[in-house]
């Protein structure tokens, strides 16, 4: 028994060192992106703490440049590139915040950014890309089309593909959130993070568990795109033939670099209903006074859900960090979703 | 000439000591309310700084308890009361944030709060009063009705009337904003503050000019309720027979305690159009990611106005503090005003 346990630990420790990011790469990312990113504030609300029965600390990545955490990873990727590669520019396919973030990072380095965007992307997110000088290339809204159009751009321009999440530089950049957050609020028992492709939660989990091994990492996922929860249950990456959620930023699947980290370091995936996401956005607006997009509000939805509130296993989690990952929401979307919900 | 100047200075210095608040009363207020209020953060946005051509520092009173700066003054007034007076409770007539703030301050001291509210008050503001345990007494939406109903409540209960702005304790409480703001951003050249009854701007002006005599204080006022601008021009308090503005918090008139401070210490009143207020709310939502009510966003509207931008007298004001005074806005109001504006 002891021997068996020992070998499992060895294996797990070996796995750990093979992740696409580690605490060193995340600390390096912090130094690299420090001059460009904003150190985002942590906000709390005593009214909301009473509702939640916990002390909640909101890490406001909605105030990050570009309106979302994505700028951290994009900035780390762009400023990691050697000069000769960088000069040809960067390319990505993204419906949202990664696109704007990459455009802005490229602008800061003075290199071109080619952004392949599906035709159904939210208007405010496309406007952000244009505002930061990204060159928009439209495509049909399927993953196949996104990938083939990107490949074509790569071929024609020599630009480097920067994947939105399945990239060690991206994961390391997102992980800088934990370095800041644990400096700002040392007493955290847990951090709740939205999950989609897994770039954000992978970085947050690797850094947080390196600094504070007992901290719990919860993922929050919409029921209409619950591939990560299914993947954890199955023990391998599961993809869905279709996703349906208001949380437009959470429709991607885990990648081969994010999956091992999610598998090993994420303690639980909390799956929430659409109505819970809308209610959380409403609370963000009415009580926190913050504009938070559906994907950004899902962490709060998870903490307020019965699933979390009624689970005695988490009753010791009194100080909870929640990453408000992004604030790019068209007011019309906010309004219409509130109307539908009532 | 010298003698004349000297006597003017003497006179002005005599006036100063006769104001309803001074730097000592404001410092005392800070100590008194310190355990109850939130020290609100100051936020900036590099995108918005480019638009404004200045560095703007937003003092986020939208995050204050009750969702507005009013809690500072209410808290100072309630906790200043001697025990025998306090026990009978407090009463006010207010359509908005002062009502909720007074209810909350009274709750914290464990005394009753009677709130006379006109029937046309915004729903979210009435809900705030109820949430904090205030006893709502409805009245017709005229100033006469408000005052006569309050007087009746006072008579019946023995409660102390706490006026929303024309009260030294209220002015001193609001002045604590300047103490915080100048600690947070020492390099400010100017502070822009919404003006209505003048409680907020009086406190801010007295404290800021005591700490930094050269700082400029700008008031922002809606054109449809420009009584303060007219008062400054006339040299005495002017009231209007009717006001018309989306900024529901800015419809009051100066009082005999706020007027002398506004007259002497406010450097300029910037009058803005309704469309400029709506545009400023939109920028708060889309760029700053903040829910700011119309009255709260008017300071930003003033700084972005042609009147301010084109005036060479203010071109040296590069670092500008803007008080985002409150965030209690029904989403329906926000949505409808955006729709109308486009």
């Amino acid at each position: 028994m002891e021997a068996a346990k020992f070998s499992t630990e060895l294996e797990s420790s070996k796995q750990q060192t093979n992740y696409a990011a580690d605490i060193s790469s995340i600390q390096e990312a912090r130094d690299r992106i420090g001059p460009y990113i904003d150190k985002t504030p942590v906000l709390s609300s005593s009214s909301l703490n009473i509702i939640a029965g916990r002390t909640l600390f909101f890490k406001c990545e909605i105030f990050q440049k570009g309106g979302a955490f994505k700028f951290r990873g994009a900035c780390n990727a762009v400023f990691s590139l050697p000069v000769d590669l960088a000069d040809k520019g960067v390319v990505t396919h993204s419906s949202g915040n990664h696109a704007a973030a990459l455009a802005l990072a490229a602008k800061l380095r003075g290199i071109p950014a080619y952004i392949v965007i599906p035709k159904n992307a939210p208007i405010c997110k496309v406007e952000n890309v244009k505002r930061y000088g990204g060159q928009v290339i439209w495509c049909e809204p399927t993953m196949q089309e996104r990938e083939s159009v990107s490949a074509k751009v790569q071929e024609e321009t020599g630009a480097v593909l920067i994947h939105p999440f399945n990239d060690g530089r991206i994961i390391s950049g997102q992980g800088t959130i934990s370095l800041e957050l644990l400096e700002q609020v040392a007493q955290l028992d847990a951090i709740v993070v939205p999950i989609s492709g897994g770039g954000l939660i992978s970085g947050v989990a690797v850094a947080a568990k390196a600094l504070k091994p007992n901290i719990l990492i919860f993922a929050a996922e919409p029921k209409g795109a619950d591939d990560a929860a299914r993947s954890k249950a199955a023990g391998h990456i599961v993809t869905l033939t279709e996703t349906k959620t208001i949380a437009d930023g959470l429709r991607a699947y885990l990648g081969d670099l994010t999956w091992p980290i999610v598998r090993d370091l994420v303690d639980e995936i909390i799956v929430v209903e659409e109505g819970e996401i809308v209610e959380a956005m409403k609370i963000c607006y009415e009580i926190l006074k913050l504009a938070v997009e559906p994907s950004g509000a899902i962490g709060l939805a998870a903490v307020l859900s019965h699933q979390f509130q009624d689970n005695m296993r988490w009753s010791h989690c009194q100080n909870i960090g929640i990453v408000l990952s992004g604030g790019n929401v068209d007011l019309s979307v906010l309004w219409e979703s509130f109307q539908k919900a009532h």
Side-chain angles (χ1 to χ4, degrees), chain A:
Chain A
M1 282 297 278
E2 280 303 299
K5 191 179 167 215
F6 186 61
S7 79
T8 311
E9 272 172 6
L10 254 187
E11 200 182 354
S12 128
S13 130
K14 192 180 150 211
Q15 274 179 353
Q16 177 103 23
T17 57
N18 284 337
Y19 295 148
D22 58 24
I23 187 68
S24 308
S25 67
I26 295 169
Q27 281 161 337
E28 283 164 22
R30 176 168 61 179
D31 295 341
R32 184 177 294 121
I33 69 182
Y36 309 105
I37 67 154
D38 285 335
K39 183 173 173 179
T40 55
V42 173
L43 298 179
S44 276
S45 157
S46 37
S47 306
L48 189 46
N49 289 343
I50 291 168
I51 294 170
R54 259 91 173 184
T55 307
L56 308 182
F57 298 91
F58 294 94
K59 179 65 172 164
C60 292
E61 289 297 298
I62 60 171
F63 299 142
Q64 189 51 263
K65 286 199 170 68
F69 73 96
K70 292 278 188 179
F71 182 61
R72 294 176 185 263
C75 209
N76 191 45
V78 163
F79 284 91
S80 301
L81 292 174
V83 175
D84 53 334
L85 270 180
D87 283 348
K88 291 180 176 163
V90 287
V91 58
T92 199
H93 51 88
S94 160
S95 61
N97 289 323
H98 172 65
L102 192 68
L104 178 56
K107 187 182 170 189
L108 291 174
R109 190 156 177 190
I111 63 174
Y114 307 98
I115 313 290
V116 178
I117 298 185
K119 287 177 181 168
N120 63 350
I123 297 167
C124 70
K125 294 189 177 180
V126 179
E127 278 173 2
N128 276 347
V129 170
K130 291 182 182 167
R131 182 185 303 158
Y132 299 133
Q135 302 185 32
V136 173
I137 298 142
W138 295 101
C139 75
E140 295 301 318
T142 68
M143 190 49 78
Q144 258 186 331
E145 267 295 297
R146 285 164 62 156
E147 285 174 358
S148 73
V149 173
S150 305
K152 209 176 142 209
V153 173
Q154 259 184 285
E155 210 178 335
E156 287 173 4
T157 61
V160 181
L161 180 73
I162 308 286
H163 192 275
F165 54 85
N166 205 39
D167 181 312
R169 298 162 297 187
I170 294 289
I171 296 170
S172 297
Q174 323 304 30
T176 60
I177 290 175
S178 284
L179 304 185
E180 278 179 25
L181 180 54
L182 285 169
E183 267 174 23
Q184 290 165 310
V185 194
Q187 73 270 33
L188 290 184
D189 303 309
I191 306 178
V192 187
V193 189
I195 193 165
S196 181
L200 172 60
I201 201 166
S202 293
V204 166
V206 167
K209 296 230 172 185
L211 298 176
K212 195 170 181 178
N214 291 331
I215 202 165
L216 293 174
I217 303 293
F218 295 107
E221 188 170 48
K223 194 169 181 187
D226 64 346
D227 56 287
R230 289 172 194 251
S231 301
K232 284 277 271 188
H236 58 81
I237 298 177
V238 172
T239 59
L240 304 171
T241 48
E242 129 180 279
T243 59
K244 199 178 169 196
T245 174
I246 188 182
D248 58 279
L250 303 182
R251 294 176 190 149
Y253 306 129
L254 297 168
D256 63 329
L257 299 181
T258 54
W259 160 243
I261 304 176
V262 170
R263 179 191 62 204
D264 300 344
L265 303 186
V266 172
D267 294 284
E268 181 102 357
I269 297 187
I270 301 165
V271 176
V272 302
E273 305 281 347
E274 293 295 287
E276 293 175 310
I277 298 175
V278 173
E279 185 59 29
M281 282 170 75
K282 198 156 185 274
I283 290 173
C284 287
Y285 179 85
E286 290 181 352
I287 300 184
L288 296 178
K289 312 298 178 194
L290 300 176
V292 183
E293 61 186 89
S295 313
I298 197 171
L300 174 59
V303 168
L304 297 179
S305 70
H306 284 294
Q307 200 188 144
F308 183 81
Q309 291 280 328
D310 301 345
N311 193 327
M312 296 306 292
R313 282 162 67 208
W314 317 127
S315 59
H316 69 286
C317 292
Q318 282 304 310
N319 297 300
I320 301 181
I322 296 179
V323 180
L324 295 180
S325 53
N328 295 321
V329 54
D330 288 320
L331 188 68
S332 58
V333 171
L334 188 66
W335 173 249
E336 280 158 23
S337 60
F338 286 12
Q339 288 294 93
K340 265 188 229 159
H342 287 92

